[in-house]
Amino acid sequence: MTEMMKAAVYHALEDIRIEERPVPEIRADEILLKTLACGLCGGETMAWYKKSEPKVLGHEPIGEVVRVGADVTDYKVGDRLFINHHVGRVDSHLSRRGHFTRDPFYASMKLDPGGVCEYYRVTAQHLRMDAHKLPDSISTEAAVTIEPWSCVMSGLKVCNIQPGDTVAVVGAGFMGQGFVHLAPLFGAGKVVALDFSDWRLDKAREFGATHTINPKNEDPVEAMRRANNGRLADTVIVIAPSPQAWAQAEELVEVGGTLHLGAPLAPGTDWVRDGGRAYFDQITVTSRYSSDHTDTYSYIRLLEAGRIKAAEAISHRFAIDDSAEAFEMLRKAEKSLKIVVYPHGIPEEKKNA
């Protein structure tokens, strides 16, 4: 193992570079992981979203322990781990009220230097709060979905779904597919996916959608009523980060239902609602930023139980030298779902998968 490594570094949306970086040094209570695989997240394509250039891409890595600090006793070289990129604490006002991810401490905790690199350092707080040894039954590619679809898990926990409810998901990219796929685990009956891409709608059917609607081809409100015995959806989850999508999503919510905001609008973007309807329709608006240690624990147990078709969400694989191409595919958001980068090379059995 050398003391230098490759890292895919974001300088701008169209400027992803492969750079040499020092392998991070660890303290006595920390560990160093070899990056086995790392997923790319759509949030990384939002130029305004938490960018500090230059920045190592990726926050969805799965790693193998290669160095262990002298004070670490729970992990050993060779262990395969998932460790959440941000972790919270228990001794703050927001954390004690269950809002771990909104405590500023959460955002301050990061993997060093990121995910799309050959090695990364894990702090003692990461090990205390949200570190998991992966059983052999969970493949590395399936494990790549733990961070993003734990965010889905976090959102579904506040969607107020009652057994048999109709759930609509506006936006059928990778995260939308997660909401489609996991909603039945929370009691959803009919699950309706909406997207402008027929390819994505076909994928939504594979992940459990009972109905699909393409707003380019039909009026979504009328289509929803046809699919749902004349009613709108009990819960509508909007993943598309645009005011138009949010407005469309609100039109699909039945009286007394829930509108869940699953992706942010850019800061300063107005979201205007009808004040009369906001009062009389008794629609609950919810949101959840990221995932905490309780969400990842729930998701990993469901994954281990075989309830989640995680590996089937992996659509493309790239070597680290091709990270710019991978990022461009992510930006175009066409016929792709989860894109995975392999910093030490794509495994032979996955090259033609």
Side-chain angles (χ1 to χ4, degrees):
M1 179 176 165
T2 66
E3 296 307 311
M4 298 297 290
M5 66 176 185
K6 290 181 180 180
V9 182
Y10 175 105
H11 287 264
L13 284 175
E14 298 181 354
D15 187 5
I16 307 298
R17 307 176 195 174
I18 304 302
E19 299 179 357
E20 289 285 316
R21 293 285 183 96
V23 173
E25 297 183 1
I26 62 171
R27 298 171 180 159
D29 56 359
E30 299 176 340
I31 62 176
L32 183 73
L33 296 179
K34 171 185 175 180
T35 312
L36 300 177
C38 184
L40 294 183
C41 170
E44 293 173 306
T45 68
M46 300 177 185
W48 57 268
Y49 185 65
K50 292 192 173 184
K51 289 290 187 295
S52 56
E53 297 83 10
K55 176 182 179 180
V56 175
L57 277 177
H59 55 262
E60 302 171 359
I62 301 301
E64 178 184 322
V65 178
V66 292
R67 287 180 182 167
V68 179
D71 295 341
V72 176
T73 58
D74 292 339
Y75 304 97
K76 65 182 185 302
V77 171
D79 284 346
R80 192 170 54 113
L81 304 182
F82 164 79
I83 297 175
N84 211 354
H85 64 122
H86 293 317
V87 293
R89 58 181 175 175
V90 297
D91 57 347
S92 74
H93 171 72
L94 288 170
S95 294
R96 292 181 188 279
R97 300 192 70 248
H99 300 289
F100 294 95
T101 68
R102 295 305 299 134
D103 180 348
F105 178 87
Y106 178 87
S108 74
M109 297 301 301
K110 301 176 183 179
L111 301 176
D112 174 26
V116 186
C117 52
E118 292 182 299
Y119 300 93
Y120 59 101
R121 177 180 68 93
V122 171
T123 73
Q125 182 67 5
H126 283 87
L127 295 178
R128 283 190 291 266
M129 286 294 293
D130 208 356
H132 305 266
K133 296 179 185 178
L134 297 175
D136 292 341
S137 60
I138 298 178
S139 71
T140 295
E141 285 202 341
V144 165
T145 68
I146 294 173
E147 192 283 331
W149 276 3
S150 289
C151 297
V152 170
M153 179 76 61
S154 178
L156 285 167
K157 288 178 178 179
V158 299
C159 278
N160 304 316
I161 300 171
Q162 299 180 24
D165 274 357
T166 295
V167 175
V169 180
V170 179
F174 171 75
M175 292 299 282
Q177 303 289 353
F179 277 102
V180 166
H181 189 40
L182 298 182
L185 297 177
F186 285 77
K190 294 176 182 176
V191 179
V192 185
L194 295 92
D195 200 281
F196 291 123
S197 165
D198 287 332
W199 183 85
R200 291 188 176 193
L201 293 178
D202 288 342
K203 289 295 182 182
R205 289 275 187 177
E206 295 177 15
F207 281 102
T210 57
H211 300 76
T212 58
I213 298 171
N214 188 329
K216 288 194 304 185
N217 303 329
E218 56 185 334
D219 181 272
V221 173
E222 293 179 1
M224 179 64 69
R225 292 193 184 279
R226 285 196 303 271
N228 198 37
N229 303 318
R231 295 187 298 272
L232 298 174
D234 302 297
T235 291
V236 178
I237 300 160
V238 55
I239 305 301
S242 76
Q244 296 81 6
W246 284 25
Q248 178 70 87
E250 187 180 11
E251 291 179 359
L252 296 170
V253 187
E254 186 56 81
V255 170
T258 296
L259 173 62
H260 180 72
L261 309 177
L265 301 183
T269 304
D270 290 335
W271 178 40
V272 180
R273 301 182 66 196
D274 181 293
R277 188 181 178 204
Y279 177 84
F280 286 107
D281 283 2
Q282 300 179 184
I283 291 173
T284 300
V285 179
T286 63
S287 65
R288 291 286 288 182
Y289 161 65
S290 199
S291 60
D292 62 37
H293 56 289
T294 66
D295 304 313
T296 54
Y297 181 60
S298 297
Y299 183 83
I300 290 171
R301 285 188 296 162
L302 287 167
L303 191 58
E304 187 176 12
R307 297 289 187 181
I308 300 171
K309 300 192 297 184
E312 295 179 26
I314 309 303
S315 63
H316 294 82
R317 302 162 181 86
F318 290 87
I320 193 170
D321 289 341
D322 299 319
S323 294
E325 181 184 349
F327 190 77
E328 182 62 17
M329 176 176 285
L330 181 70
R331 286 185 61 202
K332 289 181 177 179
E334 294 173 345
K335 293 182 178 181
S336 67
L337 292 177
K338 178 53 64 181
I339 299 168
V340 177
V341 177
Y342 284 91
H344 294 272
I346 303 172
E348 285 298 323
E349 70 272 15
K350 297 296 181 182
K351 285 185 177 180
N352 297 316

